[in-house]
Each structure stands twice: as C-alpha cells, then as structure tokens.
Amino acid sequence: MFITFEGIDGTGKSTQIGFLEEFLNGNKIPYLSIREPGGTDFSEKVREILLSTKSEISSIAELMLFEAARADLCEKVIQPALDKGIVVISDRFYDSTTAYQGYGRGLDINTIQKCNQFATQNVIPDFTFYFRLPLEESINRRNYREFDRMELAGMEFFGKVINGFEELAKQEPERIIIIDAHKSREEIFEEILSKIKSGINEFGCYSCECRNPGN
Ligand code: TYD
C-alpha cells in the first residue's frame, strides 16, 4: 500500500506521519517512510539544489529536477518496496508537483501530469491525505526557522498552491482524502487510520507476506 501526505508546510503532516509510523511499528507491519524530494543519494543531491536559497532555477528546470529526483526514488526504492508488499509512506509526492509547479508557478497542468506519470512509471498512491488549512493559519503555526528557496516564493504563490490542492482533491475524491487540519491530532489520526484499515482489507494483509484479502 502506498500512502502519501500532502499540503503546505505547517499543517501538521509530520506529526501524523510520526503517529502512523508508531502504529505500524507497534503492529509489526513492515513499512518504509520517505520524503520528497530525497530518499536516494542522487535525489538527496537534487534536493540540496532545489531547496538551496543560492540556486536560481527556471520554473521548467525546477519541474524537471523534482521529476528527476522522483524517477530515481520510484525506480530504486518505492516500486521495489511495493512489490514486496511493504507499506510505503511518503511526505509529499506528485500532487505537490501539480500544486507547486503547476498551479503555483503556472506551468501547464496537463504537461505536468504527463511528467508525473513518466517519472513514476505510473505509480499511483492508494491514499493521499491532503491537510487543509488556510494560508494565514499555516504561517502562524510554523516554527521560526530560515525559509528554504520554495518557501521564499511568497503569499500569493502559496495561495495558488492551496488552490491547486483543492482542485486536485475535487478531481480525485476517492484517492485524495481531505483532512481538516483544525481538528485535534487524535481525531485526525483516527480518521487516517480508519481509512488505511479499510484499505488493508481491500488490498490484502500487509502484516505478513500472504497478501490475501481479509487475512
Ligand atoms: P520540505 O522541507 O521537505 O517540505 P515541507 O517540510 O514543507 O513538507 O521541502 C520541500 C519543498 O519543496 C516544499 O516547499 C514543497 C516543495 N515541493 C515542490 O515544489 N514540488 C514537488 O514536487 C515537491 C515534492 C516539493
């Protein structure tokens, strides 16, 4: 099963990823937790370039770099793990590219979606949890730290990114589950878990290698 977490920074994604890791550990369910961009030697190097405030990158080059990092990660890490029946959790995946490079930077959405499919060789998350929170609130919640290159893009940019996630959630309501980030951590985790448990029944047993539905 492949589970991704999406939304702008400061919405509580990382806390929930931590809760999910604890749950999977506690239940001895094999999993792999990654974040994008990153996760392979090559992708970590690309991450440095992408997030460094010293880099000046054109929007198309930025898109290609996110996709390059993703292609390496998918081929070497995500697909092999899924093939073994390991649960893969990712902090961001291709919906971030559609939201940030497409809606945010204004690149053509259809082209981006084709790039997403090509880079992933059609890996699609089973569930994507989109953390919804108004921009002002997400900014208030962020711990003070230096902004990375993407975060320096400004308020107008992030407004467009949020708009992008909202559009994606409308287009794929089965896959993209909207999480109201105002709710308590506990309530949110319950929602996430119940969705994932329904998925485990549907997709097979992930706590052993049999992968028989319902086992
Ligand atoms: P990171 O610190 O990992 O993000 P966060 O803590 O906000 O989840 O930095 C990743 C940044 O890159 C983040 O601002 C979102 C952006 N991004 C894109 O613009 N496009 C993408 O395809 C991905 C995966 C991330």
Side-chain angles (χ1 to χ4, degrees):
M1 184 186 291
F2 185 24
I3 304 160
T4 61
F5 289 77
E6 297 282 5
I8 56 168
D9 201 11
T11 52
K13 279 184 290 135
S14 321
T15 306
Q16 296 298 328
I17 291 173
F19 285 170
L20 182 56
E21 289 170 352
E22 256 174 55
F23 171 83
L24 294 169
N25 271 328
N27 287 279
K28 302 200 169 22
I29 299 175
Y31 73 93
L32 181 78
S33 189
I34 49 178
R35 62 146 194 218
E36 272 215 337
T40 66
D41 281 352
F42 169 77
S43 307
E44 289 293 331
K45 282 182 190 136
V46 175
R47 177 185 178 90
E48 265 174 47
I49 300 173
L50 275 167
L51 300 186
S52 165
T53 49
K54 290 185 191 124
S55 320
E56 263 190 46
I57 312 175
S58 80
S59 297
I60 296 175
E62 179 182 280
L63 166 69
M64 298 300 174
L65 287 177
F66 277 112
E67 298 292 10
R70 176 167 306 130
D72 202 54
L73 180 68
C74 271
E75 187 181 317
K76 292 181 184 154
V77 178
I78 298 179
Q79 190 60 65
L82 294 174
D83 289 343
K84 287 185 200 140
I86 294 171
V87 175
V88 179
I89 306 170
S90 186
D91 185 349
R92 301 189 178 282
F93 197 54
Y94 59 52
D95 296 307
S96 277
T97 312
T98 315
Y100 282 76
Q101 281 63 54
Y103 288 87
R105 298 282 192 224
L107 296 180
D108 180 64
I109 305 292
N110 283 334
T111 307
I112 292 198
Q113 287 179 335
K114 281 190 192 127
C115 291
N116 287 341
Q117 283 165 4
F118 189 55
T120 59
Q121 293 290 293
N122 299 316
V123 173
I124 302 171
D126 296 300
F127 294 120
T128 295
F129 295 101
Y130 158 51
F131 286 62
R132 173 191 269 166
L133 198 68
L135 180 56
E136 298 71 28
E137 284 177 57
S138 85
I139 288 170
N140 291 338
R141 281 187 183 197
R142 287 179 208 195
N143 296 327
Y144 176 78
R145 60 177 168 82
E146 276 185 33
F147 285 141
D148 65 39
R149 194 184 59 84
M150 293 304 298
E151 290 164 341
L152 286 173
M155 296 282 277
E156 196 192 336
F157 174 78
F158 282 106
K160 291 183 193 164
V161 172
I162 291 178
N163 195 20
F165 280 126
E166 294 289 333
E167 276 300 316
L168 288 170
K170 255 190 241 157
Q171 285 163 18
E172 285 186 76
E174 290 282 306
R175 175 175 70 86
I176 304 181
I177 298 120
I178 298 173
I179 297 292
D180 176 358
H182 290 110
K183 289 187 181 166
S184 74
R185 296 165 160 201
E186 291 73 22
E187 265 179 292
I188 292 178
F189 188 56
E190 237 173 71
E191 268 181 45
I192 291 178
L193 211 50
S194 82
K195 198 73 206 174
I196 290 174
K197 280 181 178 164
S198 72
I200 289 178
N201 290 335
E202 189 181 328
F203 293 105
C205 173
Y206 283 85
S207 54
C208 66
E209 287 178 289
C210 68
R211 301 198 64 181
N212 288 326
N215 258 10

